[in-house]
PDB file of all heavy atoms in Angstrom:
ATOM      1  N   PHE A 191     -99.371 102.543  37.849  1.00 49.00           N
ATOM      2  CA  PHE A 191     -98.179 101.899  38.487  1.00 49.00           C
ATOM      3  C   PHE A 191     -98.712 100.777  39.233  1.00 49.00           C
ATOM      4  O   PHE A 191     -99.686 100.853  39.933  1.00 49.00           O
ATOM      5  CB  PHE A 191     -97.652 102.943  39.631  1.00 49.00           C
ATOM      6  CG  PHE A 191     -96.858 104.171  39.045  1.00 49.00           C
ATOM      7  CD1 PHE A 191     -97.013 105.358  39.593  1.00 49.00           C
ATOM      8  CD2 PHE A 191     -96.041 103.933  37.966  1.00 49.00           C
ATOM      9  CE1 PHE A 191     -96.371 106.539  38.982  1.00 49.00           C
ATOM     10  CE2 PHE A 191     -95.271 105.129  37.389  1.00 49.00           C
ATOM     11  CZ  PHE A 191     -95.476 106.278  37.966  1.00 49.00           C
ATOM     12  N   SER A 197     -90.020  93.872  46.794  1.00 27.00           N
ATOM     13  CA  SER A 197     -90.049  94.541  48.146  1.00 27.00           C
ATOM     14  C   SER A 197     -90.871  95.749  48.140  1.00 27.00           C
ATOM     15  O   SER A 197     -92.106  95.604  47.731  1.00 27.00           O
ATOM     16  CB  SER A 197     -88.546  94.887  48.434  1.00 27.00           C
ATOM     17  OG  SER A 197     -87.988  95.783  47.535  1.00 27.00           O
ATOM     18  N   ASN A 202     -98.701 104.157  46.284  1.00 41.00           N
ATOM     19  CA  ASN A 202    -100.108 104.152  45.581  1.00 41.00           C
ATOM     20  C   ASN A 202     -99.972 103.288  44.376  1.00 41.00           C
ATOM     21  O   ASN A 202    -100.192 103.716  43.269  1.00 41.00           O
ATOM     22  CB  ASN A 202    -100.475 105.504  45.380  1.00 41.00           C
ATOM     23  CG  ASN A 202    -100.790 106.449  46.540  1.00 41.00           C
ATOM     24  OD1 ASN A 202    -101.106 105.911  47.640  1.00 41.00           O
ATOM     25  ND2 ASN A 202    -100.457 107.731  46.352  1.00 41.00           N
ATOM     26  N   LYS A 246     -85.196 105.691  31.390  1.00 97.00           N
ATOM     27  CA  LYS A 246     -85.682 105.921  30.011  1.00 97.00           C
ATOM     28  C   LYS A 246     -86.709 104.745  29.705  1.00 97.00           C
ATOM     29  O   LYS A 246     -87.706 105.023  29.082  1.00 97.00           O
ATOM     30  CB  LYS A 246     -84.514 105.734  29.053  1.00 97.00           C
ATOM     31  CG  LYS A 246     -83.535 106.965  29.167  1.00 97.00           C
ATOM     32  CD  LYS A 246     -82.577 106.898  27.985  1.00 97.00           C
ATOM     33  CE  LYS A 246     -81.652 105.654  27.969  1.00 97.00           C
ATOM     34  NZ  LYS A 246     -80.757 105.635  26.928  1.00 97.00           N
ATOM     35  N   GLY A 248     -88.766 103.349  31.681  1.00 94.00           N
ATOM     36  CA  GLY A 248     -90.074 103.670  32.225  1.00 94.00           C
ATOM     37  C   GLY A 248     -90.828 104.592  31.349  1.00 94.00           C
ATOM     38  O   GLY A 248     -92.069 104.583  31.164  1.00 94.00           O
ATOM     39  N   LEU A 264    -103.800 112.261  19.433  1.00 91.00           N
ATOM     40  CA  LEU A 264    -104.426 112.730  20.673  1.00 91.00           C
ATOM     41  C   LEU A 264    -103.425 112.953  21.720  1.00 91.00           C
ATOM     42  O   LEU A 264    -103.669 113.581  22.842  1.00 91.00           O
ATOM     43  CB  LEU A 264    -105.356 111.579  21.182  1.00 91.00           C
ATOM     44  CG  LEU A 264    -106.661 111.487  20.299  1.00 91.00           C
ATOM     45  CD1 LEU A 264    -107.372 110.159  20.743  1.00 91.00           C
ATOM     46  CD2 LEU A 264    -107.560 112.581  20.297  1.00 91.00           C
ATOM     47  N   THR A 292     -89.837 107.428  21.090  1.00 98.00           N
ATOM     48  CA  THR A 292     -89.095 106.280  21.778  1.00 98.00           C
ATOM     49  C   THR A 292     -87.687 106.162  21.327  1.00 98.00           C
ATOM     50  O   THR A 292     -86.816 105.877  22.106  1.00 98.00           O
ATOM     51  CB  THR A 292     -89.866 105.010  21.766  1.00 98.00           C
ATOM     52  OG1 THR A 292     -90.136 104.647  20.231  1.00 98.00           O
ATOM     53  CG2 THR A 292     -91.264 105.154  22.456  1.00 98.00           C
ATOM     54  N   ASP A 336     -83.734 111.516  41.255  1.00 94.00           N
ATOM     55  CA  ASP A 336     -83.341 110.635  42.383  1.00 94.00           C
ATOM     56  C   ASP A 336     -82.724 111.398  43.559  1.00 94.00           C
ATOM     57  O   ASP A 336     -82.105 110.818  44.387  1.00 94.00           O
ATOM     58  CB  ASP A 336     -82.250 109.609  41.979  1.00 94.00           C
ATOM     59  CG  ASP A 336     -80.799 110.164  41.835  1.00 94.00           C
ATOM     60  OD1 ASP A 336     -80.753 111.528  41.406  1.00 94.00           O
ATOM     61  OD2 ASP A 336     -79.874 109.585  42.059  1.00 94.00           O
ATOM     62  N   ASN A 353     -91.000 128.044  43.462  1.00 95.00           N
ATOM     63  CA  ASN A 353     -91.814 129.126  42.916  1.00 95.00           C
ATOM     64  C   ASN A 353     -92.286 128.893  41.448  1.00 95.00           C
ATOM     65  O   ASN A 353     -93.380 129.220  41.047  1.00 95.00           O
ATOM     66  CB  ASN A 353     -91.005 130.449  43.159  1.00 95.00           C
ATOM     67  CG  ASN A 353     -91.990 131.665  42.894  1.00 95.00           C
ATOM     68  OD1 ASN A 353     -93.177 131.678  43.389  1.00 95.00           O
ATOM     69  ND2 ASN A 353     -91.580 132.593  42.014  1.00 95.00           N
ATOM     70  N   LEU A 357     -96.104 128.609  40.070  1.00 96.00           N
ATOM     71  CA  LEU A 357     -96.781 129.553  39.104  1.00 96.00           C
ATOM     72  C   LEU A 357     -97.203 128.626  37.880  1.00 96.00           C
ATOM     73  O   LEU A 357     -98.216 129.068  37.280  1.00 96.00           O
ATOM     74  CB  LEU A 357     -95.613 130.556  38.620  1.00 96.00           C
ATOM     75  CG  LEU A 357     -95.297 131.591  39.770  1.00 96.00           C
ATOM     76  CD1 LEU A 357     -94.181 132.394  39.241  1.00 96.00           C
ATOM     77  CD2 LEU A 357     -96.460 132.366  40.147  1.00 96.00           C
ATOM     78  N   PRO A 370    -103.426 126.393  33.511  1.00 95.00           N
ATOM     79  CA  PRO A 370    -102.581 125.551  34.501  1.00 95.00           C
ATOM     80  C   PRO A 370    -101.947 124.359  33.919  1.00 95.00           C
ATOM     81  O   PRO A 370    -102.570 123.846  32.897  1.00 95.00           O
ATOM     82  CB  PRO A 370    -103.653 125.177  35.541  1.00 95.00           C
ATOM     83  CG  PRO A 370    -104.775 126.065  35.291  1.00 95.00           C
ATOM     84  CD  PRO A 370    -104.867 126.395  33.848  1.00 95.00           C
ATOM     85  N   TRP A 405     -89.190 101.586  39.163  1.00 92.00           N
ATOM     86  CA  TRP A 405     -89.804 102.549  38.270  1.00 92.00           C
ATOM     87  C   TRP A 405     -90.023 101.906  36.816  1.00 92.00           C
ATOM     88  O   TRP A 405     -91.209 102.063  36.303  1.00 92.00           O
ATOM     89  CB  TRP A 405     -88.907 103.908  38.038  1.00 92.00           C
ATOM     90  CG  TRP A 405     -89.136 104.592  36.909  1.00 92.00           C
ATOM     91  CD1 TRP A 405     -88.282 104.698  35.871  1.00 92.00           C
ATOM     92  CD2 TRP A 405     -90.230 105.395  36.541  1.00 92.00           C
ATOM     93  NE1 TRP A 405     -88.786 105.519  34.918  1.00 92.00           N
ATOM     94  CE2 TRP A 405     -89.970 106.007  35.302  1.00 92.00           C
ATOM     95  CE3 TRP A 405     -91.426 105.750  37.180  1.00 92.00           C
ATOM     96  CZ2 TRP A 405     -90.804 106.778  34.605  1.00 92.00           C
ATOM     97  CZ3 TRP A 405     -92.313 106.645  36.569  1.00 92.00           C
ATOM     98  CH2 TRP A 405     -92.076 107.082  35.247  1.00 92.00           C
ATOM     99  N   ILE A 409     -94.921 100.176  35.676  1.00 78.00           N
ATOM    100  CA  ILE A 409     -95.844 100.982  34.636  1.00 78.00           C
ATOM    101  C   ILE A 409     -96.610  99.940  33.777  1.00 78.00           C
ATOM    102  O   ILE A 409     -95.877  99.254  33.113  1.00 78.00           O
ATOM    103  CB  ILE A 409     -95.124 102.010  33.940  1.00 78.00           C
ATOM    104  CG1 ILE A 409     -94.503 103.037  34.898  1.00 78.00           C
ATOM    105  CG2 ILE A 409     -96.056 102.761  32.869  1.00 78.00           C
ATOM    106  CD1 ILE A 409     -93.456 104.024  34.194  1.00 78.00           C
ATOM    107  N   SER A 410     -97.912 100.075  33.825  1.00 67.00           N
ATOM    108  CA  SER A 410     -98.587  99.044  32.911  1.00 67.00           C
ATOM    109  C   SER A 410     -99.871  99.648  32.412  1.00 67.00           C
ATOM    110  O   SER A 410    -100.309 100.675  33.012  1.00 67.00           O
ATOM    111  CB  SER A 410     -98.719  97.687  33.693  1.00 67.00           C
ATOM    112  OG  SER A 410     -99.756  97.924  34.616  1.00 67.00           O
TER     113      SER A 410
END
Side-chain angles (χ1 to χ4, degrees):
F191 286 138
S197 62
N202 297 326
K246 295 189 300 179
L264 295 171
T292 55
D336 80 326
N353 190 47
L357 292 174
W405 153 251
I409 299 168
S410 70

